[in-house]
Amino acid sequence: MRKGIFNNDSQAAQVLGFDKLKQETSINGSAGFTLQPAKGLFITVDGYIIKVKDRIVITSNITDSRLADPQVVGEGNAVESGRFFANAIDTETKGVDVVVSYDWKLAGGSLNINLAGNYTETKITDFHFPENLGTPKMNSLVRIRSILLKPYPQKQKHLWDLRME
């Protein structure tokens, strides 16, 4: 029996009801402004939103008795378990970047102080999965959330950087 990652043209993917992959689509928007409230003090604020539809992700390991049945998948195509790429989710990311800089003339030179921060939030807005999978759908959703959102906590509030030159 085989285990592995199978493409969406494989017999295993077809038996489970996975569609062929399609291109992700996205819509994004951004806006920003710059202020100079005092001499040498500059503030910039930029906001953004990105919506991705049919985002391609990889499933968790799926075990299904149909995959091991040669009468269903065909002789030589039996599989113990597999992972599949799928257009399984829609996501929305929104955030704001803030940069505050101050140029200070000091002892015949200059001191530049920059403070930069970012707040980002990513969430899964919809989940598309073959209906006939049942329980593995939840396992895949948990795995997708952990892979997609782990490097980017759902709400990042502590990304600040202070530089002085």
Side-chain angles (χ1 to χ4, degrees), residues 1 11-12 15-16 63-81:
M1 289 266 179
Q11 185 65 28
V15 166
L16 295 177
T63 303
D64 188 299
S65 60
R66 293 173 293 171
L67 297 177
D69 186 349
Q71 293 180 356
V72 175
V73 294
E75 200 63 44
N77 292 323
V79 172
E80 183 178 331
S81 63

Side-chain angles (χ1 to χ4, degrees), residues 127 137-147:
F127 190 66
K137 174 171 44 177
M138 291 313 297
N139 295 338
S140 286
L141 179 57
V142 169
R143 179 173 172 73
I144 288 166
R145 279 192 175 135
S146 71
I147 289 172

Side-chain angles (χ1 to χ4, degrees):
M1 289 266 179
R2 297 181 300 159
K3 293 182 181 182
I5 299 173
F6 298 92
N7 69 43
N8 290 49
D9 292 329
S10 69
Q11 185 65 28
Q14 292 173 13
V15 166
L16 295 177
F18 282 99
D19 294 328
K20 291 184 188 277
L21 291 177
K22 57 188 171 187
Q23 185 173 347
E24 298 174 337
T25 58
S26 67
I27 297 175
N28 63 70
S30 62
F33 62 90
T34 301
L35 297 172
Q36 186 179 4
K39 185 176 179 181
L41 178 63
F42 299 91
I43 301 169
T44 63
V45 178
D46 295 293
Y48 55 89
I49 184 167
I50 306 163
K51 293 182 177 187
V52 180
K53 184 170 175 39
D54 298 320
R55 191 166 184 164
I56 298 172
V57 293
I58 191 165
T59 68
S60 62
N61 215 27
I62 297 174
T63 303
D64 188 299
S65 60
R66 293 173 293 171
L67 297 177
D69 186 349
Q71 293 180 356
V72 175
V73 294
E75 200 63 44
N77 292 323
V79 172
E80 183 178 331
S81 63
R83 296 172 66 195
F84 305 87
F85 287 98
N87 295 98
I89 61 173
D90 297 342
T91 60
E92 180 180 279
T93 300
K94 52 187 169 183
V96 64
D97 297 326
V98 178
V99 178
V100 179
S101 63
Y102 186 70
D103 294 323
W104 189 8
K105 301 294 181 202
L106 185 65
S110 64
L111 174 65
N112 179 267
I113 301 172
N114 290 304
L115 178 65
N118 170 270
Y119 172 89
T120 302
E121 180 179 320
T122 297
K123 62 183 176 181
I124 296 172
T125 58
D126 202 0
F127 190 66
H128 322 286
F129 219 73
E131 289 297 319
N132 64 356
L133 281 179
T135 306
K137 174 171 44 177
M138 291 313 297
N139 295 338
S140 286
L141 179 57
V142 169
R143 179 173 172 73
I144 288 166
R145 279 192 175 135
S146 71
I147 289 172
L148 178 68
L149 303 178
K150 188 174 188 177
Y152 313 101
Q154 285 193 341
K155 294 184 180 178
Q156 295 182 348
K157 299 179 185 177
H158 306 101
L159 297 178
W160 291 96
D161 181 31
L162 176 62
R163 295 181 186 195
M164 292 185 276
E165 299 172 356

